[in-house]
Protein backbone atom coordinates (compact mmCIF):
# COMPACT_ATOMS: atom_id res chain seq x y z
CA UNK A 1 0.00 0.00 0.00
CA UNK A 2 2.73 2.49 0.95
CA UNK A 3 4.57 1.94 -2.33
CA UNK A 4 1.40 2.55 -4.36
CA UNK A 5 0.59 5.67 -2.35
CA UNK A 6 4.16 6.81 -2.87
CA UNK A 7 3.67 6.48 -6.61
CA UNK A 8 0.66 8.78 -6.59
CA UNK A 9 2.45 11.22 -4.31
CA UNK A 10 5.26 11.46 -6.84
CA UNK A 11 2.68 12.39 -9.45
CA UNK A 12 1.42 15.14 -7.16
CA UNK A 13 4.82 16.39 -5.97
CA UNK A 14 6.90 15.58 -9.04
CA UNK A 15 4.99 18.07 -11.18
CA UNK A 16 6.13 20.78 -8.74
CA UNK A 17 9.76 19.71 -8.54
CA UNK A 18 10.96 22.03 -11.29
CA UNK A 19 9.79 25.13 -9.38
CA UNK A 20 12.33 27.14 -7.35
CA UNK A 21 12.85 25.74 -3.86
CA UNK A 22 11.65 28.93 -2.17
CA UNK A 23 8.48 28.91 -4.29
CA UNK A 24 7.70 25.43 -3.01
CA UNK A 25 8.42 26.32 0.59
CA UNK A 26 6.40 29.51 0.83
CA UNK A 27 3.36 28.49 -1.21
CA UNK A 28 2.46 24.81 -1.11
CA UNK A 29 4.38 24.10 2.11
CA UNK A 30 2.75 26.92 4.02
CA UNK A 31 -0.76 25.95 2.97
CA UNK A 32 -0.18 22.26 3.71
CA UNK A 33 1.65 22.61 7.01
CA UNK A 34 0.15 25.64 8.67
CA UNK A 35 -3.13 26.94 7.31
CA UNK A 36 -5.49 24.32 8.70
CA UNK A 37 -8.34 26.41 10.04
CA UNK A 38 -10.63 25.50 12.94
CA UNK A 39 -13.62 23.27 12.22
CA UNK A 40 -15.18 20.11 13.53
CA UNK A 41 -12.66 17.25 13.09
CA UNK A 42 -13.48 14.49 10.64
CA UNK A 43 -11.87 11.79 12.72
CA UNK A 44 -10.10 11.15 15.98
CA UNK A 45 -6.44 10.14 15.96
CA UNK A 46 -4.77 8.51 18.95
CA UNK A 47 -2.00 10.99 19.98
CA UNK A 48 0.37 8.16 20.93
CA UNK A 49 -0.13 6.44 17.57
CA UNK A 50 0.24 9.77 15.83
CA UNK A 51 3.66 10.39 17.41
CA UNK A 52 4.84 6.96 16.30
CA UNK A 53 3.72 7.58 12.72
CA UNK A 54 5.07 11.14 12.45
CA UNK A 55 8.74 11.29 13.54
CA UNK A 56 9.00 14.89 12.29
CA UNK A 57 6.49 16.07 14.90
CA UNK A 58 7.61 17.59 18.18
CA UNK A 59 7.42 15.46 21.33
CA UNK A 60 6.83 18.64 23.32
CA UNK A 61 3.24 18.73 24.64
CA UNK A 62 1.02 20.85 22.41
CA UNK A 63 -0.86 23.36 24.60
CA UNK A 64 -3.13 24.40 21.74
CA UNK A 65 -5.94 21.88 22.11
CA UNK A 66 -8.57 22.90 19.60
CA UNK A 67 -9.86 20.62 16.82
CA UNK A 68 -8.56 21.13 13.30
CA UNK A 69 -9.55 19.39 10.08
CA UNK A 70 -7.34 16.87 8.36
CA UNK A 71 -5.83 17.80 4.99
CA UNK A 72 -8.42 16.69 2.40
CA UNK A 73 -7.56 14.46 -0.54
CA UNK A 74 -8.56 16.22 -3.76
CA UNK A 75 -10.72 14.23 -6.21
CA UNK A 76 -8.69 12.33 -8.78
CA UNK A 77 -10.22 14.25 -11.68
CA UNK A 78 -9.27 17.56 -10.10
CA UNK A 79 -5.68 16.39 -9.52
CA UNK A 80 -5.27 15.20 -13.10
CA UNK A 81 -6.83 18.37 -14.52
CA UNK A 82 -4.41 20.57 -12.57
CA UNK A 83 -1.50 18.35 -13.59
CA UNK A 84 -2.51 18.66 -17.26
CA UNK A 85 -2.85 22.45 -17.01
CA UNK A 86 0.63 22.68 -15.47
CA UNK A 87 2.11 20.95 -18.53
CA UNK A 88 0.62 23.26 -21.15
CA UNK A 89 3.42 25.87 -21.12
CA UNK A 90 6.06 23.18 -21.65
CA UNK A 91 4.65 20.63 -24.14
CA UNK A 92 3.83 20.78 -27.83
CA UNK A 93 0.30 20.18 -29.12
CA UNK A 94 1.23 16.64 -30.06
CA UNK A 95 2.74 15.92 -26.66
CA UNK A 96 -0.29 17.38 -24.90
CA UNK A 97 -2.61 15.21 -26.99
CA UNK A 98 -0.62 12.10 -26.07
CA UNK A 99 -0.55 13.11 -22.38
CA UNK A 100 -4.31 13.68 -22.33
CA UNK A 101 -4.86 10.19 -23.73
CA UNK A 102 -2.67 8.69 -20.99
CA UNK A 103 -4.51 10.61 -18.27
CA UNK A 104 -7.91 9.51 -19.60
CA UNK A 105 -6.74 5.90 -19.48
CA UNK A 106 -5.38 6.43 -15.95
CA UNK A 107 -8.72 7.89 -14.78
CA UNK A 108 -10.98 5.12 -16.12
CA UNK A 109 -13.21 3.37 -13.54
CA UNK A 110 -11.47 0.32 -12.15
CA UNK A 111 -8.14 1.54 -13.52
CA UNK A 112 -4.84 2.24 -11.82
CA UNK A 113 -5.77 5.80 -10.92
CA UNK A 114 -8.91 4.77 -9.06
CA UNK A 115 -7.00 2.15 -7.10
CA UNK A 116 -4.24 4.59 -6.15
CA UNK A 117 -6.78 7.24 -5.20
CA UNK A 118 -8.42 4.74 -2.87
CA UNK A 119 -5.10 3.96 -1.21
CA UNK A 120 -4.42 7.66 -0.80
CA UNK A 121 -7.81 8.21 0.83
CA UNK A 122 -7.10 5.25 3.11
CA UNK A 123 -3.78 6.84 4.13
CA UNK A 124 -5.56 10.11 4.87
CA UNK A 125 -7.67 8.34 7.50
CA UNK A 126 -4.51 7.58 9.50
CA UNK A 127 -2.82 10.99 9.28
CA UNK A 128 -3.89 14.52 10.11
CA UNK A 129 -1.85 15.57 7.09
CA UNK A 130 -1.35 12.77 4.57
CA UNK A 131 1.06 14.85 2.48
CA UNK A 132 3.37 16.27 5.17
CA UNK A 133 5.75 13.32 5.57
CA UNK A 134 6.15 12.89 1.81
CA UNK A 135 6.45 16.63 1.32
CA UNK A 136 9.27 16.96 3.84
CA UNK A 137 11.08 13.97 2.38
CA UNK A 138 10.75 14.84 -1.32
CA UNK A 139 10.69 18.62 -1.06
CA UNK A 140 13.51 19.01 1.44
CA UNK A 141 15.37 16.05 2.95
CA UNK A 142 16.26 14.40 -0.37
CA UNK A 143 17.33 17.75 -1.84
CA UNK A 144 21.12 17.65 -2.21
CA UNK A 145 22.06 21.26 -2.95
CA UNK A 146 23.61 23.48 -0.24
CA UNK A 147 21.21 24.92 2.34
CA UNK A 148 22.28 28.59 2.10
CA UNK A 149 20.62 30.43 -0.80
CA UNK A 150 18.85 27.29 -2.09
CA UNK A 151 16.80 26.34 0.98
CA UNK A 152 17.36 28.56 4.01
CA UNK A 153 15.68 32.00 3.87
CA UNK A 154 16.79 35.09 5.74
CA UNK A 155 14.63 37.66 7.54
CA UNK A 156 16.06 41.13 8.19
CA UNK A 157 15.30 42.97 11.45
CA UNK A 158 15.06 46.78 11.60
CA UNK A 159 18.61 48.16 11.44
CA UNK A 160 20.20 48.71 14.86
CA UNK A 161 21.96 51.92 15.85
CA UNK A 162 24.67 50.79 18.27
CA UNK A 163 28.17 52.07 17.57
CA UNK A 164 30.54 49.56 19.20
CA UNK A 165 30.88 45.99 20.41
CA UNK A 166 29.24 46.67 23.77
CA UNK A 167 26.14 47.92 22.01
CA UNK A 168 26.19 44.82 19.81
CA UNK A 169 26.40 42.49 22.81
CA UNK A 170 23.75 44.33 24.83
CA UNK A 171 21.42 44.19 21.83
CA UNK A 172 22.12 40.46 21.45
CA UNK A 173 21.45 39.89 25.16
CA UNK A 174 18.15 41.77 24.91
CA UNK A 175 17.12 39.76 21.85
CA UNK A 176 17.94 36.44 23.55
CA UNK A 177 16.01 37.51 26.66
CA UNK A 178 12.87 38.25 24.65
CA UNK A 179 13.27 35.11 22.52
CA UNK A 180 13.22 33.06 25.73
CA UNK A 181 10.10 34.96 26.84
CA UNK A 182 8.46 34.14 23.51
CA UNK A 183 9.45 30.48 23.90
CA UNK A 184 7.78 30.39 27.30
CA UNK A 185 4.60 31.87 25.80
CA UNK A 186 4.61 29.05 23.24
CA UNK A 187 5.27 26.25 25.74
CA UNK A 188 2.66 27.51 28.21
CA UNK A 189 -0.02 28.02 25.56
CA UNK A 190 -0.29 31.74 26.38
CA UNK A 191 0.59 32.82 22.85
CA UNK A 192 -2.60 33.79 21.06
CA UNK A 193 -3.15 31.39 18.13
CA UNK A 194 -2.61 32.62 14.60
CA UNK A 195 -5.88 33.07 12.79
CA UNK A 196 -7.36 33.54 9.35
CA UNK A 197 -10.77 35.17 8.90
CA UNK A 198 -11.37 34.80 12.63
CA UNK A 199 -10.52 31.09 12.76
CA UNK A 200 -7.43 29.78 14.60
CA UNK A 201 -4.67 28.09 12.58
CA UNK A 202 -2.45 25.14 13.41
CA UNK A 203 0.33 26.16 15.83
CA UNK A 204 2.48 23.03 15.55
CA UNK A 205 5.31 24.86 13.76
CA UNK A 206 5.89 27.04 16.82
CA UNK A 207 6.77 23.90 18.81
CA UNK A 208 9.52 23.05 16.31
CA UNK A 209 11.42 26.35 16.31
CA UNK A 210 13.72 25.57 19.23
CA UNK A 211 16.11 22.66 19.55
CA UNK A 212 15.53 21.31 16.03
CA UNK A 213 18.27 20.30 13.63
CA UNK A 214 18.84 18.88 10.14
CA UNK A 215 21.38 16.02 10.11
CA UNK A 216 23.21 15.47 6.77
CA UNK A 217 22.93 12.09 5.07
CA UNK A 218 24.38 10.48 1.95
CA UNK A 219 21.08 10.14 0.06
CA UNK A 220 18.69 12.03 2.31
CA UNK A 221 18.93 14.05 5.49
CA UNK A 222 17.21 13.37 8.80
CA UNK A 223 15.39 15.91 10.91
CA UNK A 224 15.66 16.12 14.69
CA UNK A 225 12.71 17.94 16.24
CA UNK A 226 13.22 19.75 19.53
CA UNK A 227 12.25 17.49 22.43
CA UNK A 228 9.86 17.96 25.32
CA UNK A 229 12.48 19.83 27.33
CA UNK A 230 16.11 20.87 27.06
CA UNK A 231 17.66 20.27 30.48
CA UNK A 232 19.35 22.57 31.13
CA UNK A 233 18.53 24.75 28.11
CA UNK A 234 21.43 26.47 26.37
CA UNK A 235 22.32 28.18 23.13
CA UNK A 236 25.41 28.03 20.95
CA UNK A 237 27.10 31.37 20.28
CA UNK A 238 29.47 31.84 17.33
CA UNK A 239 31.96 34.71 17.16
CA UNK A 240 34.93 34.96 14.78
CA UNK A 241 33.95 31.44 13.60
CA UNK A 242 34.50 30.02 17.12
CA UNK A 243 31.71 28.14 18.94
CA UNK A 244 30.68 28.46 22.60
CA UNK A 245 28.05 26.81 24.78
CA UNK A 246 26.11 29.46 26.70
CA UNK A 247 23.44 28.63 29.32
CA UNK A 248 20.22 30.61 29.40
CA UNK A 249 19.07 29.64 32.88
CA UNK A 250 20.53 28.82 36.30
CA UNK A 251 20.57 25.33 37.78
CA UNK A 252 17.57 26.40 39.87
CA UNK A 253 15.59 26.83 36.66
CA UNK A 254 15.50 30.62 36.91
CA UNK A 255 16.23 32.37 33.63
CA UNK A 256 19.45 34.35 33.31
CA UNK A 257 18.79 38.05 33.44
CA UNK A 258 19.58 40.27 30.49
CA UNK A 259 22.68 41.56 32.31
CA UNK A 260 23.84 37.99 33.02
CA UNK A 261 23.44 37.11 29.35
CA UNK A 262 25.46 40.20 28.49
CA UNK A 263 28.20 38.93 30.80
CA UNK A 264 28.14 35.58 29.04
CA UNK A 265 28.54 37.25 25.66
CA UNK A 266 31.42 39.36 26.98
CA UNK A 267 33.07 36.09 27.97
CA UNK A 268 32.55 34.77 24.44
CA UNK A 269 34.19 37.79 22.85
CA UNK A 270 37.11 37.71 25.26
CA UNK A 271 37.77 34.01 24.73
CA UNK A 272 37.26 34.06 20.96
CA UNK A 273 40.22 36.37 20.43
CA UNK A 274 42.51 33.72 21.96
CA UNK A 275 41.44 30.86 19.66
CA UNK A 276 42.09 30.03 15.99
CA UNK A 277 39.33 31.26 13.70
CA UNK A 278 39.19 28.24 11.37
CA UNK A 279 35.58 28.34 10.08
CA UNK A 280 34.35 24.83 10.86
CA UNK A 281 30.79 26.10 10.45
CA UNK A 282 31.29 26.75 6.75
CA UNK A 283 31.28 22.98 6.24
CA UNK A 284 27.49 23.14 6.79
CA UNK A 285 27.25 25.14 3.55
CA UNK A 286 28.47 22.21 1.44
CA UNK A 287 26.11 20.18 -0.72
CA UNK A 288 24.35 17.73 1.55
CA UNK A 289 26.08 14.55 0.36
CA UNK A 290 29.55 16.08 0.66
CA UNK A 291 28.72 17.48 4.10
CA UNK A 292 27.44 14.06 5.20
CA UNK A 293 30.85 12.53 4.41
CA UNK A 294 32.68 15.43 6.03
CA UNK A 295 30.39 15.30 9.08
CA UNK A 296 31.23 11.62 9.52
CA UNK A 297 34.97 12.30 9.24
CA UNK A 298 34.71 15.20 11.71
CA UNK A 299 32.79 13.05 14.21
CA UNK A 300 35.15 10.08 13.87
CA UNK A 301 38.21 12.22 14.46
CA UNK A 302 37.72 12.27 18.25
CA UNK A 303 35.19 12.05 21.07
CA UNK A 304 35.39 15.80 21.66
CA UNK A 305 34.25 16.52 18.10
CA UNK A 306 31.28 14.18 18.48
CA UNK A 307 30.31 15.82 21.75
CA UNK A 308 30.41 19.31 20.30
CA UNK A 309 28.41 18.29 17.23
CA UNK A 310 25.79 16.88 19.61
CA UNK A 311 25.76 20.13 21.58
CA UNK A 312 24.97 22.13 18.46
CA UNK A 313 22.14 19.70 17.70
CA UNK A 314 20.68 19.98 21.21
CA UNK A 315 21.01 23.76 21.54
CA UNK A 316 17.86 25.89 21.42
CA UNK A 317 19.29 27.98 18.60
CA UNK A 318 22.56 29.47 17.35
CA UNK A 319 23.45 33.11 18.00
CA UNK A 320 25.86 34.49 15.38
CA UNK A 321 27.80 37.52 16.65
CA UNK A 322 29.11 38.77 13.33
CA UNK A 323 32.28 40.76 12.76
CA UNK A 324 32.41 43.96 10.68
CA UNK A 325 32.11 43.25 6.96
CA UNK A 326 35.07 45.04 5.39
CA UNK A 327 33.76 44.32 1.89
CA UNK A 328 30.96 46.82 2.46
CA UNK A 329 33.51 49.63 2.53
CA UNK A 330 34.93 48.88 -0.90
CA UNK A 331 33.69 48.29 -4.42
CA UNK A 332 30.19 49.06 -5.67
CA UNK A 333 28.01 50.63 -3.01
CA UNK A 334 24.67 48.96 -2.32
CA UNK A 335 21.74 49.98 -0.19
CA UNK A 336 21.76 49.22 3.53
CA UNK A 337 18.83 46.83 3.09
CA UNK A 338 20.63 44.99 0.28
CA UNK A 339 23.76 44.56 2.40
CA UNK A 340 21.66 43.41 5.36
CA UNK A 341 19.85 40.89 3.18
CA UNK A 342 23.14 39.45 1.96
CA UNK A 343 24.35 39.06 5.54
CA UNK A 344 21.30 37.17 6.75
CA UNK A 345 20.98 35.08 3.59
CA UNK A 346 24.53 33.73 3.34
CA UNK A 347 26.97 35.83 5.38
CA UNK A 348 28.50 37.48 2.27
CA UNK A 349 31.35 35.01 1.76
CA UNK A 350 34.20 33.32 3.59
CA UNK A 351 36.08 36.61 4.06
CA UNK A 352 33.01 38.09 5.75
CA UNK A 353 30.68 36.04 7.97
CA UNK A 354 29.70 32.90 6.04
CA UNK A 355 31.97 30.87 8.33
CA UNK A 356 30.21 32.28 11.38
CA UNK A 357 27.10 30.19 10.64
CA UNK A 358 25.79 26.69 11.32
CA UNK A 359 23.23 26.18 8.55
CA UNK A 360 21.97 22.79 9.82
CA UNK A 361 20.40 24.51 12.84
CA UNK A 362 16.72 25.31 12.40
CA UNK A 363 17.09 28.80 13.89
CA UNK A 364 20.05 31.19 13.73
CA UNK A 365 19.87 34.68 15.24
CA UNK A 366 22.32 37.05 13.56
CA UNK A 367 23.54 40.17 15.37
CA UNK A 368 26.16 42.01 13.35
CA UNK A 369 28.81 44.49 14.42
CA UNK A 370 27.45 46.97 11.87
CA UNK A 371 23.84 46.90 13.12
CA UNK A 372 22.67 44.14 10.75
CA UNK A 373 20.37 41.72 12.60
CA UNK A 374 17.97 39.00 11.51
CA UNK A 375 17.10 35.33 11.24
CA UNK A 376 18.50 32.64 9.01
CA UNK A 377 16.41 29.49 9.31
CA UNK A 378 16.52 25.98 7.92
CA UNK A 379 13.25 25.70 6.04
CA UNK A 380 12.27 22.03 6.50
CA UNK A 381 10.17 22.37 9.65
CA UNK A 382 9.02 25.98 9.74
CA UNK A 383 7.69 28.70 7.48
CA UNK A 384 8.15 32.43 7.73
CA UNK A 385 5.03 33.51 9.71
CA UNK A 386 6.09 32.13 13.14
CA UNK A 387 9.49 33.83 12.84
CA UNK A 388 7.98 37.11 11.64
CA UNK A 389 5.73 37.02 14.67
CA UNK A 390 8.63 36.35 17.03
CA UNK A 391 10.59 39.17 15.37
CA UNK A 392 7.66 41.54 15.90
CA UNK A 393 7.54 40.55 19.57
CA UNK A 394 11.29 41.19 19.98
CA UNK A 395 11.08 44.54 18.19
CA UNK A 396 8.15 45.63 20.33
CA UNK A 397 9.81 44.59 23.59
CA UNK A 398 13.17 46.22 22.84
CA UNK A 399 12.01 49.24 20.86
CA UNK A 400 14.41 48.04 18.18
CA UNK A 401 12.21 49.12 15.33
CA UNK A 402 11.68 52.71 16.40
CA UNK A 403 15.12 54.06 15.64
CA UNK A 404 15.92 53.77 19.34
CA UNK A 405 19.58 54.52 20.00
CA UNK A 406 21.16 51.91 22.23
CA UNK A 407 22.11 53.63 25.44
CA UNK A 408 24.85 51.19 26.39
CA UNK A 409 27.68 52.49 24.21
CA UNK A 410 30.20 53.69 26.74
CA UNK A 411 32.72 50.86 26.66
CA UNK A 412 35.21 50.45 23.84
CA UNK A 413 36.41 47.11 22.51
CA UNK A 414 39.63 47.52 24.49
CA UNK A 415 37.70 47.66 27.77
CA UNK A 416 35.49 44.62 27.13
CA UNK A 417 37.74 42.07 28.85
CA UNK A 418 37.62 43.71 32.27
CA UNK A 419 33.81 43.36 32.35
CA UNK A 420 33.75 39.63 31.53
CA UNK A 421 34.45 38.28 34.99
CA UNK A 422 31.19 36.96 36.49
CA UNK A 423 30.48 34.08 34.11
CA UNK A 424 32.37 32.13 31.50
CA UNK A 425 30.90 30.51 28.41
CA UNK A 426 32.33 27.12 27.45
CA UNK A 427 34.54 27.01 24.39
CA UNK A 428 33.59 24.26 21.88
CA UNK A 429 36.78 23.49 19.90
CA UNK A 430 37.12 20.92 17.11
CA UNK A 431 40.22 18.82 16.52
CA UNK A 432 41.20 19.08 12.87
CA UNK A 433 43.73 17.24 10.75
CA UNK A 434 45.11 18.18 7.34
CA UNK A 435 42.31 16.49 5.31
CA UNK A 436 39.64 18.30 7.35
CA UNK A 437 41.38 21.65 6.95
CA UNK A 438 41.54 21.02 3.20
CA UNK A 439 37.80 20.26 3.20
CA UNK A 440 37.19 23.56 5.01
CA UNK A 441 39.25 25.41 2.38
CA UNK A 442 37.25 23.71 -0.37
CA UNK A 443 33.98 24.64 1.37
CA UNK A 444 35.14 28.28 1.55
CA UNK A 445 35.79 28.31 -2.21
CA UNK A 446 32.40 26.74 -2.96
CA UNK A 447 30.60 29.15 -0.66
CA UNK A 448 32.31 32.13 -2.28
CA UNK A 449 31.21 30.89 -5.72
CA UNK A 450 27.65 30.48 -4.45
CA UNK A 451 27.63 34.01 -3.00
CA UNK A 452 29.05 35.43 -6.23
CA UNK A 453 26.33 33.67 -8.20
CA UNK A 454 23.57 35.47 -6.27
CA UNK A 455 22.65 38.82 -7.81
CA UNK A 456 20.68 40.51 -5.04
CA UNK A 457 19.33 44.04 -4.96
CA UNK A 458 16.59 45.01 -2.49
CA UNK A 459 14.44 47.96 -3.48
CA UNK A 460 11.50 49.69 -1.81
CA UNK A 461 8.23 49.73 -3.75
CA UNK A 462 5.62 51.92 -2.06
CA UNK A 463 3.05 52.45 -4.81
CA UNK A 464 0.85 49.72 -3.35
CA UNK A 465 1.10 46.65 -1.13
CA UNK A 466 -0.62 43.44 -0.14
CA UNK A 467 -3.94 45.12 0.70
CA UNK A 468 -4.40 46.29 -2.89
CA UNK A 469 -3.45 42.86 -4.27
CA UNK A 470 -5.91 41.15 -1.92
CA UNK A 471 -8.62 43.64 -2.93
CA UNK A 472 -8.28 42.19 -6.44
CA UNK A 473 -8.82 38.70 -4.96
CA UNK A 474 -5.24 37.63 -5.66
CA UNK A 475 -2.66 36.03 -3.40
CA UNK A 476 0.24 38.44 -2.70
CA UNK A 477 2.64 35.48 -2.72
CA UNK A 478 1.55 34.18 -6.13
CA UNK A 479 1.36 37.76 -7.47
CA UNK A 480 4.99 38.36 -6.53
CA UNK A 481 6.09 34.99 -7.91
CA UNK A 482 4.46 35.81 -11.25
CA UNK A 483 6.14 39.23 -11.26
CA UNK A 484 9.52 37.55 -10.83
CA UNK A 485 8.78 35.12 -13.66
CA UNK A 486 7.60 37.95 -15.93
CA UNK A 487 10.75 39.98 -15.21
CA UNK A 488 12.92 36.96 -15.96
CA UNK A 489 11.00 36.26 -19.18
CA UNK A 490 11.39 39.84 -20.40
Amino acid sequence: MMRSCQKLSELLIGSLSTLPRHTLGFSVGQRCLQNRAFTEPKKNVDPKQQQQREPHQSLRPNPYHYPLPSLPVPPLGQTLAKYFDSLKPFLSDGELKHTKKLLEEFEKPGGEGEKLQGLLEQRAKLHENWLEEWWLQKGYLEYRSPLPVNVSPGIVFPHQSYTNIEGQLRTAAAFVTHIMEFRELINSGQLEPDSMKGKPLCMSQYLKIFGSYRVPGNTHDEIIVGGEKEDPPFIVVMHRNVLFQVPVQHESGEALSQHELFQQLLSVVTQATAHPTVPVGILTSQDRTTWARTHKALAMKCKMNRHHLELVQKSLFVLCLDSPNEALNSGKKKSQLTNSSRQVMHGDGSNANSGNRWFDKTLQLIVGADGVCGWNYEHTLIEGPPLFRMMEYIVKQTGAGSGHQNSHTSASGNNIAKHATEVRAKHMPFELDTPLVELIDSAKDQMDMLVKDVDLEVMDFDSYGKDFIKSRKLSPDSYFQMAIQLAFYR
Side-chain angles (χ1 to χ4, degrees):
M1 170 180 147
M2 182 59 69
R3 185 174 299 172
S4 297
C5 287
Q6 186 86 18
K7 183 176 181 181
L8 185 55
S9 79
E10 289 173 359
L11 173 64
L12 296 169
I13 298 175
S15 63
L16 301 174
S17 61
T18 57
L19 293 175
R21 192 64 35 177
H22 288 131
T23 302
L24 292 172
F26 278 115
S27 56
V28 178
Q30 180 173 332
R31 283 192 284 272
C32 286
L33 304 184
Q34 188 185 34
N35 291 354
R36 294 192 291 120
F38 174 90
T39 188
E40 288 299 319
K42 295 181 180 179
K43 57 188 75 65
N44 294 320
V45 180
D46 186 339
K48 294 183 179 179
Q49 293 180 359
Q50 188 69 13
Q51 285 184 1
Q52 292 173 356
R53 285 192 298 269
E54 314 291 2
H56 55 271
Q57 291 188 348
S58 175
L59 296 178
R60 184 180 291 110
N62 188 346
Y64 299 93
H65 297 295
Y66 44 84
L68 293 168
S70 298
L71 182 70
V73 178
L76 179 60
Q78 177 181 319
T79 299
L80 298 182
K82 286 188 174 183
Y83 175 70
F84 185 72
D85 287 343
S86 73
L87 299 177
K88 289 179 180 178
F90 307 105
L91 302 183
S92 65
D93 291 342
E95 291 170 330
L96 285 171
K97 186 176 180 180
H98 176 67
T99 300
K100 186 174 183 179
K101 183 178 179 181
L102 292 175
L103 293 177
E104 289 172 348
E105 183 69 24
F106 186 80
E107 193 179 4
K108 282 183 177 179
E112 186 176 15
E114 186 177 90
K115 294 177 182 177
L116 291 173
Q117 179 76 3
L119 291 172
L120 192 58
E121 291 170 352
Q122 191 173 350
R123 172 181 169 86
K125 294 178 181 179
L126 302 174
H127 298 260
E128 289 183 351
N129 189 325
W130 59 267
L131 178 60
E132 185 173 10
E133 183 181 357
W134 290 341
W135 172 255
L136 295 181
Q137 193 70 26
K138 292 292 182 182
Y140 289 96
L141 299 180
E142 292 182 10
Y143 190 63
R144 300 288 84 197
S145 294
L147 296 183
V149 176
N150 299 294
V151 176
S152 299
I155 296 177
V156 179
F157 285 23
H159 195 81
Q160 302 302 292
S161 56
Y162 47 77
T163 58
N164 56 35
I165 192 169
E166 183 184 356
Q168 178 187 9
L169 300 188
R170 290 194 182 277
T171 297
F175 284 177
V176 172
T177 297
H178 299 310
I179 288 171
M180 297 306 296
E181 293 171 357
F182 193 84
R183 174 175 174 267
E184 179 57 30
L185 291 175
I186 295 171
N187 291 348
S188 64
Q190 297 180 61
L191 188 67
E192 184 178 349
D194 291 330
S195 63
M196 178 181 291
K197 297 180 180 180
K199 296 182 178 180
L201 301 177
C202 177
M203 295 288 284
S204 63
Q205 288 190 34
Y206 285 85
L207 302 175
K208 304 173 186 178
I209 294 174
F210 300 104
S212 298
Y213 191 87
R214 179 166 170 169
V215 182
N218 289 325
T219 59
H220 65 276
D221 293 353
E222 295 182 7
I223 202 75
I224 296 176
V225 183
E228 181 175 340
K229 61 179 180 179
E230 299 78 15
D231 191 19
F234 65 92
I235 63 175
V236 166
V237 179
M238 300 182 69
H239 181 59
R240 299 180 74 245
N241 308 330
V242 186
L243 284 74
F244 296 87
Q245 181 187 10
V246 174
V248 291
Q249 74 176 32
H250 297 284
E251 293 182 1
S252 64
E254 181 183 1
L256 265 65
S257 68
Q258 186 169 318
H259 177 71
E260 288 171 323
L261 286 169
F262 171 64
Q263 291 288 330
Q264 291 276 11
L265 300 183
L266 286 174
S267 176
V268 165
V269 171
T270 303
Q271 292 184 68
T273 58
H275 296 290
T277 59
V278 179
V280 178
I282 207 165
L283 293 171
T284 65
S285 70
Q286 294 177 305
D287 71 83
R288 303 308 291 171
T289 300
T290 300
W291 171 220
R293 293 194 295 264
T294 307
H295 184 277
K296 183 177 180 180
L298 186 63
M300 291 180 64
K301 177 62 181 172
C302 66
K303 183 178 179 180
M304 178 184 69
N305 286 2
R306 290 192 295 274
H307 176 59
H308 291 156
L309 287 171
E310 290 173 0
L311 286 180
V312 182
Q313 289 184 19
K314 294 177 180 178
S315 64
L316 295 179
F317 59 92
V318 171
L319 167 60
C320 307
L321 295 174
D322 280 0
S323 301
N325 186 358
E326 302 300 334
L328 300 182
N329 299 321
S330 61
K332 183 181 177 180
K333 298 293 184 181
K334 293 183 177 293
S335 70
Q336 183 183 84
L337 191 53
T338 296
N339 290 329
S340 298
S341 300
R342 291 174 63 87
Q343 283 293 316
V344 301
M345 177 184 284
H346 48 54
D348 217 19
S350 63
N351 290 326
N353 290 295
S354 294
N356 202 50
R357 301 283 185 274
W358 202 277
F359 289 104
D360 290 348
K361 197 63 186 171
T362 296
L363 181 63
Q364 296 184 91
L365 169 65
I366 297 161
V367 180
D370 46 9
V372 173
C373 299
W375 306 123
N376 182 281
Y377 64 100
E378 202 285 303
H379 207 339
T380 304
L381 289 175
I382 54 177
E383 300 289 336
L387 296 184
F388 274 111
R389 187 170 179 186
M390 183 158 62
M391 178 190 71
E392 290 169 354
Y393 177 86
I394 294 169
V395 168
K396 181 179 179 180
Q397 295 299 315
T398 61
S402 61
H404 173 69
Q405 175 68 38
N406 193 303
S407 60
H408 303 287
T409 55
S410 58
S412 68
N414 295 329
N415 295 326
I416 284 295
K418 70 179 183 180
H419 294 280
T421 56
E422 295 183 14
V423 290
R424 188 173 180 85
K426 294 180 181 179
H427 178 217
M428 296 167 54
F430 287 91
E431 184 177 325
L432 305 173
D433 53 20
T434 299
L436 285 170
V437 172
E438 290 175 349
L439 287 168
I440 290 173
D441 290 339
S442 175
K444 290 165 65 176
D445 292 339
Q446 292 169 18
M447 185 64 181
D448 289 342
M449 290 186 349
L450 181 63
V451 168
K452 186 177 180 181
D453 195 43
V454 177
D455 187 9
L456 175 65
E457 190 73 44
V458 181
M459 295 167 283
D460 285 328
F461 179 82
D462 56 9
S463 297
Y464 59 85
K466 66 178 181 180
D467 291 339
F468 170 77
I469 298 172
K470 288 181 177 180
S471 72
R472 295 297 185 263
K473 301 187 183 304
L474 296 171
S475 161
D477 183 42
S478 60
Y479 184 93
F480 187 70
Q481 294 288 345
M482 291 302 296
I484 293 174
Q485 294 181 45
L486 178 60
F488 184 82
Y489 175 78
R490 287 179 173 175

